[in-house]
Amino acid sequence: MNVKDVIDKKNIIISNTSMSKQEAIEKMSSLLGKNGYVSDVTSFQNAVNKREKEISTAVGYGVAIPHGKSDGVDRATIVILKNLSGIQWDKEVVNLVFMIAAPASANDEHLRMLSTISTFLMDENFRAKLLTAMTEDEIYNDLIKQDEAKANEKDLKNATEDNGKYLIGISACMTGIAHTYMAAEALENEAKKRGMKYKIQTNGSTGVEHRLTAKDIAEADAIVVAHDVKVDTDVFGERKFLDVPVKKAIDKPQQLVTDALALGSGDTKSETISKVEERSEETEGESKGGSFARAFYTHTMSGVSYMIPFVVVGGIFIAISFMFGIYASDPTSSQYNIWAAFFNEMGGNAAFKLYVPVLAAYISWSIADKPGLAPGMIGGMMAMNGGSGFLGGMLAGFLGGYLTKFIIKKTKNVPHTYQGLISVLLIPLLATFVVGFVMFFILNTPMSHFNTFLTTWLKSMNGSSAFVMGALLAGMMASDMGGPINKTASAFGLAMFASKIYGPSAALMVGGMVPPLGVALATVLFKNKFSNQEREAGKANWILGACFITEGAIPFAAADPLRTIPANIIGAAVGGALSMMFGITLQAPHGGIFVIPVAANKPLLYIGCILIGTVITALILGFTKKTLSESEMNKHMAAGII
């Protein structure tokens, strides 16, 4: 396969019309639909916008590479937009936009070629050719020539040069399509300039390519790990490596290679090494938020993300077992049913007993990698058995992770001969003993008493107190739609879920469903207050809201925060307050409309609470948003939006 297989002259746009980032995405997506590459433009746009929310696809040099995989894409391709007026792409202004479209089932060869094309943009001469090209044919021909030139260079890639220096590394981004390969290309190009041998492992969407071997690591003079997702750095053993975000490798490869060479020189007392380590620490601080609060949030969410499937599966299976009768899973009851017993065994005696240990294990793993799994999971199981539940599991996870990390640090200077024994026996044994001791003798008793107090207090809530609690939780869920406030409320709900208090879960799901549903309804009721682009996005929010995906409301909140966010909070708070006041419970904290029939104790009343919140949000938006003027409508029409 070559460039001709994924590039079409019809998918190249040269335009100097001023446009926004969203208008550019929409224009390019529409062209793909027109040319028969995309059958569902909205679905593909949603995939691209979802990627943009994770991290900007502006990669420097005046270039952006938005991309998405979707069932709505029929053929893998790239659409190219050149705009010399400049497009504000988050914090950067770009003139070249390469939008990658890939089917959800795209094969490895297609994805690899799309990623290869994105690396062409690292060549400044090639970028200059594109910027000065006057026609679509010129841009197309430049791409073909660049592909041929790269093919001719391929044999030089792993050549050992005169100076004998060897650069290795790993690159990995969230989606593994563009940034992963651009970072690798930038490092490789810098190595070539210096006459170095190089090998960069890419953890892309098609799997690991150019995997580093023990021989590579032993022979390397410099190691760079450029990543936005967790990668296995244990393979480097005691070797020092530079740890940076992917974008830094794309933007500053010269600095990184220089720093990595200094770091790998072994002269830890030199001023150069000191400066490198300072910069490395600064970078790490930036990537982790630079604070304990950010680290706490990151590690907790790592644990929660692995725990949620156990909670959802367990809750739904238990709810299904109750459909046969409240006591249908009890062999001594006259209601006993074998299927009820089966679902209760999977949900209550398997999934529910595992989710706190899984939470603790992956909090510990997030802190200390694989060595933290055993102490975290065992501590979590002790928390579950000892009555300290979700909160005890969190504490066990943090204790296990940081203790394991501390022990690893203190045993690094032990002779290499004994390192295998230490990592397999001493570290997990010592860390697990300490975590177990703390859980058994110190934490479990007070934490279980606290859980009992909290459970009793929440169960006693009724009337106005339940109304206030429901409003607070649902309002927090709607406030930042997937951000830290949302996640804090969600974590509280999961803690209560672990204690078999299911009212907060119902209020929280109201808070997550109302914002996208309210926005969707507003775009239908008040069409003259939304652009055609927003009305199209509103259609997708019906599905997102029904599925409990709050993030669908984010584009609307970002475009008009002073009106949208208060409307979301008020509507969600009212719906959540009514939910708790009516004593509604939900035994599956995720899943949206699909779990309500089996997991809610009052499904019709619960749906009514969601609808009331939705209507309130829509009405507030309708009354507070201004009607689009004729000039604004004309502007949208000129941009191809209407």
Side-chain angles (χ1 to χ4, degrees), residues 457-597:
W457 174 61
L458 286 168
K459 282 183 176 178
S460 68
M461 275 190 169
N462 53 62
S464 60
S465 58
F467 187 92
V468 171
M469 175 62 76
L472 178 64
L473 291 175
M476 289 175 70
M477 282 294 286
S479 62
D480 58 356
M481 293 160 286
I485 299 175
N486 172 290
K487 291 296 188 290
T488 300
S490 182
F492 175 80
L494 288 170
M496 295 304 95
F497 197 92
S499 299
K500 298 184 179 180
I501 305 294
Y502 303 123
S505 296
L508 288 166
M509 198 154 86
V510 172
M513 293 175 71
V514 162
L517 291 174
V519 163
L521 181 60
T523 61
V524 173
L525 298 179
F526 307 99
K527 292 182 179 180
N528 61 341
K529 299 195 175 187
F530 296 90
S531 69
N532 190 62
Q533 173 190 353
E534 290 173 323
R535 294 200 296 272
E536 286 299 314
K539 294 176 183 177
N541 271 284
W542 288 113
I543 304 299
L544 296 173
C547 296
F548 186 30
I549 301 175
T550 317
E551 287 80 359
I554 288 177
F556 294 85
D560 191 2
L562 294 180
R563 295 180 179 87
T564 305
I565 293 176
N568 288 342
I569 293 174
I570 293 169
V574 172
L578 292 173
S579 172
M580 282 203 68
M581 188 179 73
F582 291 142
I584 296 172
T585 60
L586 186 71
Q587 288 191 251
H590 287 269
I593 195 71
F594 302 103
V595 301
I596 291 175

Side-chain angles (χ1 to χ4, degrees), residues 289-450:
S291 67
F292 174 77
R294 176 60 183 165
F296 175 83
Y297 172 81
T298 301
H299 299 320
T300 301
M301 288 306 110
S302 293
V304 168
S305 67
Y306 282 97
M307 179 193 82
I308 281 176
F310 292 85
V311 179
V312 174
V313 168
I316 292 175
F317 282 160
I318 290 175
I320 291 173
S321 76
F322 285 159
M323 293 173 68
F324 294 93
I326 297 298
Y327 305 106
S329 61
D330 183 358
T332 63
S333 171
S334 59
Q335 293 183 340
Y336 180 73
N337 180 286
I338 186 64
W339 285 105
F342 166 69
F343 282 112
N344 185 68
E345 177 67 22
M346 284 197 299
N349 294 332
F352 263 32
K353 287 185 178 178
L354 282 172
Y355 72 78
V356 170
V358 168
L359 167 75
Y362 281 96
I363 288 176
S364 185
W365 166 81
S366 179
I367 297 166
D369 293 314
K370 188 167 67 174
L373 279 172
M377 183 166 284
I378 293 169
M381 182 60 79
M382 293 185 71
M384 192 70 176
N385 293 338
S388 57
F390 182 91
L391 297 177
M394 282 181 59
L395 291 173
F398 279 101
L399 178 61
Y402 282 116
L403 180 61
T404 301
K405 195 172 183 179
F406 174 79
I407 297 171
I408 291 172
K409 183 178 179 180
K410 291 300 180 182
T411 56
K412 273 190 174 180
N413 294 326
V414 172
H416 187 72
T417 308
Y418 302 105
Q419 282 293 338
L421 182 64
I422 288 173
S423 62
V424 173
L425 179 62
L426 178 63
I427 293 174
L429 189 65
L430 182 57
T432 302
F433 173 79
V434 174
V435 171
F437 182 91
V438 171
M439 296 305 298
F440 189 84
F441 289 104
I442 301 174
L443 285 180
N444 266 346
T445 299
M447 288 298 298
S448 62
H449 288 327
F450 175 74

Side-chain angles (χ1 to χ4, degrees), residues 39-99:
S39 56
D40 187 342
V41 173
T42 300
S43 171
F44 173 62
Q45 281 182 8
N46 289 338
V48 173
N49 288 328
K50 181 180 178 182
R51 175 63 182 85
E52 291 294 329
K53 290 175 196 172
E54 294 170 348
I55 189 170
S56 175
T57 54
V59 296
Y61 311 110
V63 176
I65 308 182
H67 47 274
K69 291 176 69 176
S70 166
D71 289 328
V73 178
D74 298 329
R75 289 185 287 167
T77 190
I78 290 182
V79 57
I80 303 164
L81 169 64
K82 188 184 88 167
N83 187 302
L84 294 181
S85 297
I87 302 169
Q88 190 67 45
W89 208 277
D90 299 320
K91 295 181 180 180
E92 299 183 30
V93 176
V94 303
N95 303 107
L96 291 171
V97 183
F98 276 53
M99 178 185 280

Side-chain angles (χ1 to χ4, degrees), residues 65-284:
I65 308 182
H67 47 274
K69 291 176 69 176
S70 166
D71 289 328
V73 178
D74 298 329
R75 289 185 287 167
T77 190
I78 290 182
V79 57
I80 303 164
L81 169 64
K82 188 184 88 167
N83 187 302
L84 294 181
S85 297
I87 302 169
Q88 190 67 45
W89 208 277
D90 299 320
K91 295 181 180 180
E92 299 183 30
V93 176
V94 303
N95 303 107
L96 291 171
V97 183
F98 276 53
M99 178 185 280
I100 300 173
S105 59
N107 61 42
D108 291 358
E109 194 173 9
H110 271 99
L111 292 175
R112 195 174 294 114
M113 178 52 64
L114 294 171
S115 302
T116 298
I117 292 173
S118 69
T119 65
F120 292 175
L121 298 169
M122 302 308 301
D123 186 327
E124 58 186 345
N125 293 325
F126 177 65
R127 292 198 307 273
K129 286 181 182 179
L130 295 184
L131 289 171
T132 55
M134 300 299 292
T135 66
E136 290 82 356
D137 281 344
E138 284 185 56
I139 292 176
Y140 178 81
N141 291 332
D142 286 339
L143 279 165
I144 301 302
K145 290 176 183 176
Q146 186 73 2
D147 187 37
E148 292 171 352
K150 288 290 181 181
N152 293 334
E153 292 177 5
K154 192 172 182 181
D155 292 338
L156 301 175
K157 184 174 182 181
N158 294 313
T160 303
E161 303 295 339
D162 294 339
N163 67 4
K165 298 290 185 182
Y166 188 20
L167 171 70
I168 67 169
I170 300 174
S171 66
C173 70
M174 290 183 182
T175 56
I177 293 180
H179 290 65
T180 296
Y181 297 93
M182 292 184 72
E185 180 84 355
L187 293 172
E188 290 170 356
N189 285 342
E190 181 59 29
K192 269 192 265 190
K193 289 178 186 176
R194 297 169 183 243
M196 297 174 65
K197 179 184 174 184
Y198 56 87
K199 182 177 181 182
I200 307 298
Q201 174 180 310
T202 52
N203 293 6
S205 59
T206 60
V208 175
E209 297 178 74
H210 313 300
R211 187 182 293 276
L212 298 176
T213 65
K215 185 173 182 288
D216 293 322
I217 295 167
E219 294 178 353
D221 298 286
I223 305 173
V224 177
V225 180
H227 63 116
D228 293 329
V229 295
K230 189 176 181 66
V231 298
D232 181 15
T233 56
D234 291 343
V235 295
F236 298 123
E238 296 180 354
R239 295 299 309 273
K240 291 186 177 181
F241 59 90
L242 206 60
D243 192 347
V244 298
V246 166
K247 197 168 187 302
K248 191 160 187 177
I250 296 171
D251 292 343
K252 300 178 180 179
Q254 183 177 3
Q255 176 193 320
L256 294 188
V257 174
T258 298
D259 289 352
L261 284 167
L263 194 62
S265 68
D267 184 11
T268 56
K269 295 180 181 180
S270 73
E271 184 179 349
T272 303
I273 291 297
S274 176
K275 289 180 180 177
V276 170
E277 289 179 337
E278 284 175 15
R279 281 203 293 267
S280 181
E281 287 174 6
E282 288 172 9
T283 302
E284 185 177 352

